[in-house]
Amino acid sequence: MSDYINELNDSQRAAVLYNDGPSLVIAGAGSGKTRVLTYKIAYLLEQGYRPWNILALTFTNKAAREMKERIARQVGRDSASKLWMGTFHSMFLRILRTEADVLGFPRDFTVYDTADQKSLIRTLLKEMKLDEKTYKPGWVQSRISNAKNHLVTPAAYANSREAYEADQAARVPAVRDVYKKYWDRCRQSAAMDFDDLLLYTFLLFRDHPDVLEKYRAHFQYILVDEYQDTNLAQHAIVCQLGAEHSRVCVVGDDAQSIYSFRGADIDNILTFTKAWPGAKIFKLEQNYRSTQSIVGAANSLIEKNQRQIHKEVYSKKEKGDSLGVFKAYSDVEEGEIVGNKIQALHRREHHAWADFAILYRTNAQSRIFEEALRKRSVPYRIYGGLSFYQRKEIKDAVAYFRLTVNPHDEEALKRVINYPARGIGDTTVGRLLQAADAHSVSLWTVLCAPQAYELSLNKGILGKLQAFRTLIEECTVLASTQTAYEAGTEIIRRTGIIADICQDNSPENLSRQENIEELANGLSDFCTQRLEEGDTRTGLSDFLSEVSLLTDQDTDKDGDQDKVTLMTVHSAKGLEFRNVFVVGLEEGLFPSSMAGDSPRALEEERRLFYVAITRAEEHCFLSYAKSRIRFGKMEFCSPSRFLHDIDACYLDLPENDIPARSTAPTPSYRPRQQTFVPPASSRMKPVSRATSASKDTPAVQEGQLIEHERFGRGTVIRVEGAGENAKATIRFENVGEKQLLLRFARFKIV
């Protein structure tokens, strides 16, 4: 027996050596899944399988590359290079290019990306005289994609009563016609999109038995990684190819199935033994990554799910610390607590910055933690996304803010003059720029009076330019008379940004909505903090001055990787860190309000939390805030039910407080469609420039303990001044010393 086989534990070895029929390898978090797949392929090659007769399917090119490198070290680079190993799409593209003529395509057919798809759909909608406001291209594209992933052709879609009724209910009955035209136009253009690579492969094997037999004979062994993430089309093709010889091995973990929004179907792994009668199940239950406490906590959480394949994951590593639970008074204090803890561990235990990860449910949550780390000069990177103020929708909104404060800002003007689309195209902008350059004036100056600069524009274009000018002038008045929060939120609404990103509820648009909401929270934080500190400079120009300091950061240098990682839990799957902070554990945020009361959706949210916990090797910290600001309103939060799901023996709870499961209605953390109306709060009212001083400025004394809405608990160090000018210096437990103007300070005496 080869030496590498002896490196495996009993369960891993059994999974590698079994080749007598279909097998399902349930690989718990950190259990050595990649090693098993790698060694199984190496073992198959030793048993006489030729590399080109093995099909190994992964979900990412990175996973395929890493496995190939490992296999090359075991069996040599030549054999490894001849494996059919790669993503579903890349492997099926290879087959489709070979068999293209059977399907009526040339071998060099084009593959459309998402942008190409949307562009074609827009063209078709225009040709069919369908209103884009009703038939939103992104939504139509998503609908077509979903149909293809469920193996529904245009003809089947047109004959589907369920699809017809769904489209009728959504008032888009012509979707089936758009799908048919889109399908035909792709064929005319000799093009396939990503979803076609799956659908056409399925159709190729279904409608051409001779081709199917050819590839069944070719692929004598089929292996699939991350099987819990497969959709119906991928599952069906694996069944087509492996039906006769049944030499199929799939690896996955039902407890880490978190991609249903992309079409993944957990039933593919849960019902594997029904699709493959006689399939043998192997369970990899030893976790090599995490301490016993982390594994125990994760187990006690996931056992609350009903739909799962039971397994007993265990660790032989040290017991380790309990999972620390942090209770913050506000989202701001949560950021401070996490920042302080990271700094302390870095200093005390000499952990590198790269050993830390902050995991959150939505990208919008990064802002608070970015600011907390930046304040402490802690280097960080946003994994799988942009820093908050670099995201497109944020840059669009900030460009409007800049233009409002300074209409002569050419870059800002160019960015938003036709966003949202208002019929001012590149040609018109180009002519305005030429005129501005020729007369040495700003673009705005020419835009305000194009005829004065010898520009001949038709009446329609002149009207659109005038409407844009009026909009900016109205916003300029807002910026000069209101706080950054009041003016900023109104500008976002008036300019149509919020209407544009609320067109549909695709995952992409929901993320954009959350980011705009968080920008509003940032405006509110800015105004509140300045007023409490006695600084009346709360205008939009003042906010922009501060933001410019945040965004003017040096770009990352090659090799400078020692940074704290900030990412969503979805992005963290497959990664590991010594220290993990899972933040924002509140009802409506994690689990997401989108889960509602659906047991299936709540179980996926619980699996997502399981993934978050199991990323940690040594320390895992969980945090929640008692309150968050949404559109300037203080909202009170309940701890996530998932904290209650973890056995308390694995938790280091604040003040020995076991979070009680909330029975209150789950608050929504998503803006409602096209209703960007910041509500006033009974406790926190946005303060305008004209706000007069409170007559009942709270009286505090040195030594008193207070509880601030944003900064948490603190002790009054000294009090200065009297009446409206009274100030207090307060030492907060987590944010240090702050001097607050008492008439604006929001606290209570404990």
Side-chain angles (χ1 to χ4, degrees), residues 230-343:
T230 54
N231 61 27
L232 176 62
Q234 291 160 333
H235 172 73
I237 295 168
V238 171
C239 289
Q240 286 177 317
L241 287 170
E244 286 193 355
H245 56 64
S246 295
R247 290 187 289 272
V248 174
C249 175
V250 306
V251 181
D253 183 6
D254 57 293
Q256 298 186 67
S257 178
I258 59 174
Y259 293 117
S260 65
F261 65 94
R262 293 182 189 169
D265 189 349
I266 192 174
D267 286 340
N268 291 344
I269 194 167
L270 293 180
T271 61
F272 183 82
T273 54
K274 291 182 180 178
W276 299 92
K280 195 167 176 85
I281 298 178
F282 300 91
K283 297 180 181 179
L284 309 184
E285 296 174 309
Q286 183 175 352
N287 181 303
Y288 291 91
R289 175 186 302 154
S290 309
T291 63
Q292 293 178 27
S293 292
I294 293 169
V295 170
N299 285 345
S300 69
L301 168 78
I302 204 63
E303 71 180 13
K304 305 300 188 296
N305 274 8
Q306 297 298 312
R307 302 179 73 247
Q308 63 172 303
I309 298 171
H310 182 73
K311 56 185 177 294
E312 290 286 347
V313 180
Y314 65 95
S315 172
K316 290 185 177 180
K317 294 181 74 175
E318 70 278 5
K319 182 180 179 184
D321 295 338
S322 299
L323 280 68
V325 181
F326 300 138
K327 175 175 66 177
Y329 286 91
S330 67
D331 49 354
V332 172
E333 194 194 24
E334 183 184 31
E336 299 291 337
I337 290 172
V338 170
N340 288 343
K341 190 66 179 178
I342 289 173
Q343 245 184 348

Side-chain angles (χ1 to χ4, degrees), residues 118-283:
K118 286 186 179 178
S119 176
L120 175 54
I121 288 169
R122 282 196 176 91
T123 300
L124 295 173
L125 293 174
K126 192 173 181 180
E127 291 176 4
M128 298 169 71
K129 296 182 170 54
L130 296 171
D131 185 2
E132 275 197 31
K133 291 180 179 177
T134 303
Y135 291 84
K136 303 174 182 70
W139 186 89
V140 174
Q141 187 267 330
S142 177
R143 189 82 171 141
I144 293 172
S145 174
N146 187 58
K148 289 180 177 181
N149 286 329
H150 283 85
L151 306 174
V152 179
T153 63
Y157 192 98
N159 292 324
S160 169
R161 184 178 180 86
E162 182 184 352
Y164 175 76
E165 289 176 350
D167 290 345
Q168 285 283 13
R171 299 181 179 178
V172 284
V175 166
R176 59 183 182 180
D177 301 317
V178 179
Y179 185 10
K180 177 69 166 61
K181 282 186 175 291
Y182 176 83
W183 179 275
D184 292 341
R185 191 67 65 87
C186 284
R187 291 196 67 95
Q188 291 168 22
S189 304
M192 294 186 192
D193 61 31
F194 278 5
D195 300 311
D196 285 330
L197 300 180
L198 302 180
L199 178 54
Y200 273 115
T201 301
F202 173 80
L203 296 176
L204 174 71
F205 293 155
R206 186 195 70 181
D207 300 337
H208 303 278
D210 55 327
V211 177
L212 175 59
E213 286 306 314
K214 170 183 164 183
Y215 285 97
R216 278 177 175 174
H218 187 85
F219 300 129
Q220 296 175 18
Y221 213 104
I222 302 168
L223 302 101
V224 187
D225 191 16
E226 305 286 6
Y227 204 70
Q228 77 279 352
D229 294 335
T230 54
N231 61 27
L232 176 62
Q234 291 160 333
H235 172 73
I237 295 168
V238 171
C239 289
Q240 286 177 317
L241 287 170
E244 286 193 355
H245 56 64
S246 295
R247 290 187 289 272
V248 174
C249 175
V250 306
V251 181
D253 183 6
D254 57 293
Q256 298 186 67
S257 178
I258 59 174
Y259 293 117
S260 65
F261 65 94
R262 293 182 189 169
D265 189 349
I266 192 174
D267 286 340
N268 291 344
I269 194 167
L270 293 180
T271 61
F272 183 82
T273 54
K274 291 182 180 178
W276 299 92
K280 195 167 176 85
I281 298 178
F282 300 91
K283 297 180 181 179

Side-chain angles (χ1 to χ4, degrees), residues 556-561:
D556 292 351
K557 296 178 177 63
D558 291 338
D560 184 16
Q561 295 300 313

Side-chain angles (χ1 to χ4, degrees), residues 50 78 163 184 274 313 316 368 406 548 592 634 647 673 698:
R50 293 171 295 183
D78 183 59
D184 292 341
K274 291 182 180 178
V313 180
K316 290 185 177 180
I368 291 289
N406 172 23
S548 67
S592 166
M634 179 71 76
D647 193 319
Q673 190 162 343

Side-chain angles (χ1 to χ4, degrees), residues 4 79 92 131 172 196 374 404 420 431-432 494 534 548 561 568 580 595 664 715 719:
Y4 65 83
S79 289
F92 296 161
D131 185 2
V172 284
D196 285 330
R374 195 182 294 115
T404 298
R431 293 181 65 189
L432 293 171
R494 285 198 189 188
S548 67
Q561 295 300 313
T568 64
V580 169
T715 304
V719 181

Side-chain angles (χ1 to χ4, degrees), residues 19 87 123 155 179 191 229 353 401 434 436 498 592 600 603-604 625 692:
N19 294 313
T87 64
T123 300
Y179 185 10
D229 294 335
W353 296 122
F401 297 169
Q434 286 177 352
I498 197 65
S592 166
R600 195 173 179 117
E603 288 204 348
E604 178 155 334
S692 59

Side-chain angles (χ1 to χ4, degrees), residues 12 46-47 146 185 202 207 271 298 305 320 448 504 604 609-610 621 647 682 704 720 735:
Q12 293 172 332
E46 282 190 0
Q47 296 302 300
N146 187 58
R185 191 67 65 87
F202 173 80
D207 300 337
T271 61
N305 274 8
C448 290
D504 61 69
E604 178 155 334
F609 186 33
Y610 175 86
F621 303 97
D647 193 319
S682 58
Q704 281 185 323
E720 305 167 85
V735 301

